[in-house]
Amino acid sequence: MDATSLALFAVVLLALSFAIHHVGKPTPLPLIPHNNLKWFVGDIHFIAKLAKEKGTMTHAFDDTALRLGPVSQVVIGLGASWISRTFGLGQVIVILADSQEMHDLLVNRAAEFDRSKLVNNLFAATLPQGMLALPTDQRFKHHKRYLGITMTNPYLARMTPRIMDRMQELVDLWSVAAKRLSMGSSTEFAFNALDDIRLSSIDVIASITFGTSFDGVKASLGYLEGNPSASPSSRPTIPKLVADLEVLLNTIGNGIFFPVSTILPWWTRTFNYKWHRALTSTHGYLRSRLHSARANYEAEYNKSEKPAAHKADNVLDIILERERGDQTRGTKTLTGAEIIDELTTFALGGSETTAAAMQWSVKILCKHPAVQYKLRTELLTNLPVINTRPPTYTEITDDNNLPYLSAVMYEILRCSRIAAAIDRDATCDTTLLGYPIPKGTRVLMPIGMVQQLESDGSKDITDGLDSVRSASSLRGRKTGYWSASDAHLFKPERWLCEDGSFNAIAGPWLPFSYGFRGCFGQKLALLELRLFLATTQLNFFFDALPDELNGWKSHETVTNHPVQCYVRPIPWDDVNVNLFN
Ligand code: HEM
């Protein structure tokens, strides 16, 4: 090779190395601590490794925050480099893991941090005009005002008997299954409750949304009663509507692993035929319910001055009631398509989350016999009417009268990571705890880890952040601290004051997030969980299970579900309660 060719070769090599360096080297945001990044992939290998080890992707965010402090970052692919921004070859995710600053960001800084586009895209194909898929604009606010009424105390009070009916069906099913377990011929020690709870939560949300249950649990009960030799875990095929909802939920959940979220809605609509069939049949059902509810409502309205919907005990009738009011006032109503999407939002947003909460409840309680005994004793002592009639909304939600029930429920939600993380996108260039955050950056808050592990052990670090906190955050911490010695344990007593009263701000607790975009269904979810705990614990003691039936693995999509949920319910009459005294 002559000198000119050699020089040319050197220049090309240099240019190539320069290009590779700029293209392949992951670029984190300046100043913010990060892991050791690998060329071209950033933190992807690390996230994949933890997902394999722990079963969930979000453990990589928890782990990073625990090692690197209240503000850290993970880099996906090429991170924040120009090439990545231009061609979408990666992103930076900033992790905020300080409960005081998280609360402030969610409640006081909503203008700077909006619901992330990633989350909106997950829901955009299935319910494009539903709250879960909308950015915080006028349309979202209109929908929230429209539906907000369904989460008020008077409406929840009307829905309480419907939820109670569904819980009683679950108790009836488990009574039959439990009897089968105790029969000599049974080879099962416990039965699989995963699907029973899932069906029950869908039955609940269907009956409060449309006024009619899908009767999934009733069908299981009928099946067991009609097949005396069936095993305790045997169940019939799930109803079609439930199967369709499951397809929609799985499609949304699996979207979290889709590489380019902006094209996810288009991809789903174009290529996912199973999802298409499920959505078409769900919409068909919803449209027919809307049509008949409207016909009934009109008939009632024309008959009397006070239409039956004034006694509305389901969301559909509540929407129609509101619609009539708006038409009379000449204000804007929701379109038919918007109503269908919001009904779908209720059906999807309100079923798998509460199912996960109930499933984790069963798993946790059967490891804590003394908690079960104490809970039942409180119910029998402080709410004796529960022996003769279902409790009312006011009775079951009274923290002062049922402090232990509230404590157990809060502690289950603290320990179970149902939504392990939430996120927001920065809408402008701003700062977080002193670090510059460019517009468009995704900020992830690992709520599951923070509410479980932020303790007085890190108080010095937390106090030390005062010089960089935002002005609104400096107005003060809203909760106490957990004790470092037992923050990782399940201990409902942490929620009780010395006089036994319930303290909802004893320590960080964010299962429903906070602020304007926090969980819309929180009050309904808490009501459902209270009724589930009260009815099941009043009827049964959940016996301890061998480890192989109560593993702690979870399956994480939008929510975090246990992989296993077995239960061995024993009627309290057959339990030696002297063991607890
Ligand atoms: C234990 C049960 C539940 C848990 C743990 C839970 C948790 C959450 C969380 C963490 C968020 C995200 C909030 C954020 O990004 O800041 C959320 C949003 C939402 N949840 Fe729930 N949820 C539960 C039950 C329900 C129920 C029963 C409904 C019934 C309708 C519901 C409807 C919604 C809706 C519509 C949103 C979106 C709100 C918005 O976009 O502004 N959730 N939920």
Side-chain angles (χ1 to χ4, degrees):
M1 199 183 282
D2 61 18
T4 322
S5 311
L6 207 64
L8 203 66
F9 180 71
V11 169
V12 170
L13 201 68
L14 213 68
L16 215 62
S17 327
F18 185 78
I20 289 176
H21 180 85
H22 273 268
V23 171
K25 190 169 175 227
T27 314
L29 291 179
L31 307 176
I32 300 179
H34 58 82
N35 297 310
N36 259 339
L37 302 175
K38 288 237 164 38
W39 277 61
F40 291 101
V41 291
D43 273 318
I44 290 178
H45 70 293
F46 162 68
I47 296 173
K49 184 171 151 260
L50 279 210
K52 200 166 163 209
E53 268 169 37
K54 310 254 182 175
T56 70
M57 212 163 64
T58 46
H59 272 104
F61 305 117
D62 296 359
D63 181 274
T64 304
L66 284 167
R67 278 183 292 104
L68 302 181
V71 180
S72 57
Q73 61 181 321
V74 293
V75 178
I76 312 284
L78 301 183
S81 64
W82 65 268
I83 186 144
S84 165
R85 284 198 306 277
T86 313
F87 298 104
L89 297 176
Q91 62 166 319
V92 161
I93 302 175
V94 169
I95 306 169
L96 174 66
D98 171 88
S99 72
Q100 180 170 339
E101 211 62 24
M102 284 154 79
H103 183 277
D104 179 56
L105 182 153
L106 293 164
V107 175
N108 301 317
R109 303 181 65 188
E112 292 165 80
F113 297 96
D114 195 8
R115 160 67 53 78
S116 79
K117 288 195 181 65
L118 174 93
V119 170
N120 290 345
N121 285 333
L122 282 182
F123 292 95
T126 307
L127 36 99
Q129 310 196 64
M131 278 188 285
L132 279 157
L134 295 177
T136 316
D137 53 14
Q138 285 310 319
R139 182 143 75 131
F140 172 81
K141 289 177 188 165
H142 178 55
H143 283 219
K144 190 157 176 172
R145 269 197 304 273
Y146 221 91
L147 292 160
I149 199 159
T150 60
M151 295 297 153
T152 57
N153 291 349
Y155 282 103
L156 288 173
R158 285 185 211 164
M159 292 181 196
T160 303
R162 279 189 189 274
I163 305 176
M164 269 307 289
D165 288 348
R166 303 290 82 78
M167 293 303 160
Q168 189 54 49
E169 285 166 6
L170 188 65
V171 166
D172 292 345
L173 172 65
W174 284 5
S175 297
V176 176
K179 247 187 223 143
R180 283 234 180 137
L181 282 180
S182 59
M183 279 167 32
S185 55
S186 171
T187 53
E188 295 178 12
F189 179 76
F191 58 86
N192 188 351
L194 210 59
D195 280 352
D196 292 348
I197 292 178
R198 215 165 39 88
L199 285 183
S200 175
S201 77
I202 291 180
D203 282 352
V204 167
I205 207 74
S207 61
I208 62 176
T209 307
F210 318 120
T212 329
S213 165
F214 287 171
D215 286 340
V217 173
K218 244 189 194 164
S220 297
L221 176 62
Y223 177 84
L224 271 195
E225 285 178 335
N227 291 280
S229 57
S231 75
S233 287
S234 299
R235 299 291 182 268
T237 318
I238 57 171
K240 165 101 175 58
L241 272 167
V242 177
D244 287 337
L245 285 183
E246 212 171 292
V247 171
L248 300 182
L249 279 169
N250 288 341
T251 306
I252 293 167
N254 292 336
I256 207 116
F257 305 106
F258 194 79
V260 192
S261 86
T262 39
I263 61 163
L264 175 63
W266 167 80
W267 182 273
T268 307
R269 283 192 291 260
T270 313
F271 297 112
N272 194 334
Y273 302 114
K274 202 172 166 195
W275 166 87
H276 220 285
R277 280 194 297 274
L279 190 70
T280 308
S281 93
T282 307
H283 277 182
Y285 173 79
L286 294 179
R287 268 194 292 271
S288 78
R289 301 268 358 160
L290 180 60
H291 186 72
S292 54
R294 225 179 223 136
N296 286 343
Y297 186 83
E298 291 304 321
E300 287 292 332
Y301 195 85
N302 292 334
K303 248 195 280 165
S304 66
E305 280 182 14
K306 211 168 190 221
H310 272 293
K311 298 189 231 76
D313 61 356
N314 64 80
V315 175
L316 191 48
D317 281 352
I318 290 167
I319 291 177
L320 295 179
E321 192 175 72
R322 173 89 206 235
E323 190 176 72
R324 169 64 68 168
D326 280 345
Q327 281 164 347
T328 314
R329 283 188 295 272
T331 42
K332 198 173 157 210
T333 58
L334 292 188
T335 64
E338 284 174 324
I339 295 179
I340 298 290
D341 278 3
E342 289 303 6
L343 293 176
T344 316
T345 302
F346 263 79
L348 299 181
S351 58
E352 89 150 5
T353 42
T354 41
M358 293 191 271
Q359 288 159 348
W360 286 114
S361 301
V362 168
K363 291 177 76 69
I364 291 172
L365 286 173
C366 69
K367 283 180 184 278
H368 296 274
V371 171
Q372 297 189 56
Y373 179 70
K374 210 169 154 185
L375 181 53
R376 176 179 143 88
T377 307
E378 179 183 85
L379 288 164
L380 291 176
T381 314
N382 295 6
L383 196 61
V385 291
I386 204 164
N387 278 317
T388 49
R389 64 159 171 80
T392 63
Y393 175 69
T394 316
E395 286 166 347
I396 199 70
T397 54
D398 185 354
D399 287 340
N400 294 326
N401 193 38
L402 299 172
Y404 200 62
L405 173 61
S406 301
V408 171
M409 183 179 69
Y410 268 56
E411 186 66 351
I412 286 170
L413 289 167
R414 188 185 78 90
C415 293
S416 52
R417 287 172 65 90
I418 296 164
I422 52 162
D423 54 13
R424 295 288 184 270
D425 287 346
T427 56
C428 54
D429 291 344
T430 180
T431 59
L432 264 184
L433 291 175
Y435 292 105
I437 306 290
K439 178 179 175 176
T441 305
R442 187 170 155 214
V443 177
L444 180 137
M445 288 160 271
I447 52 177
M449 181 277 279
V450 168
Q451 66 182 357
Q452 209 173 6
L453 297 184
E454 190 181 85
S455 69
D456 50 13
S458 54
K459 191 171 179 306
D460 287 349
I461 301 176
T462 315
D463 288 349
L465 294 172
D466 279 357
S467 60
V468 284
R469 287 196 186 282
S470 75
S472 46
S473 168
L474 272 176
R475 277 185 228 133
R477 190 180 164 90
K478 298 287 179 279
T479 68
Y481 287 92
W482 302 129
S483 158
S485 61
D486 63 13
H488 58 293
L489 301 176
F490 176 77
K491 190 178 162 198
E493 285 68 20
R494 72 176 76 249
W495 294 97
L496 301 177
C497 303
E498 269 177 20
D499 63 1
S501 59
F502 175 66
N503 177 11
I505 52 165
W509 188 76
L510 311 98
F512 298 99
S513 175
Y514 282 113
F516 194 57
R517 295 308 301 256
C519 178
F520 171 78
Q522 172 171 350
K523 281 176 88 172
L524 171 61
L526 290 178
L527 171 64
E528 201 176 326
L529 195 52
R530 269 177 207 280
L531 289 170
F532 172 77
L533 291 171
T535 31
T536 55
Q537 289 294 284
L538 202 68
N539 283 279
F540 307 116
F541 171 72
F542 295 153
D543 204 3
L545 299 176
D547 285 349
E548 66 268 21
L549 292 185
N550 201 7
W552 226 244
K553 266 207 155 161
S554 62
H555 172 60
E556 185 174 68
T557 53
V558 178
T559 51
N560 207 15
H561 290 264
V563 169
Q564 246 184 357
C565 180
Y566 283 89
V567 65
R568 182 177 164 80
I570 302 180
W572 278 99
D573 285 348
D574 300 340
V575 176
N576 180 3
V577 291
N578 293 326
L579 293 175
F580 300 107
N581 292 320

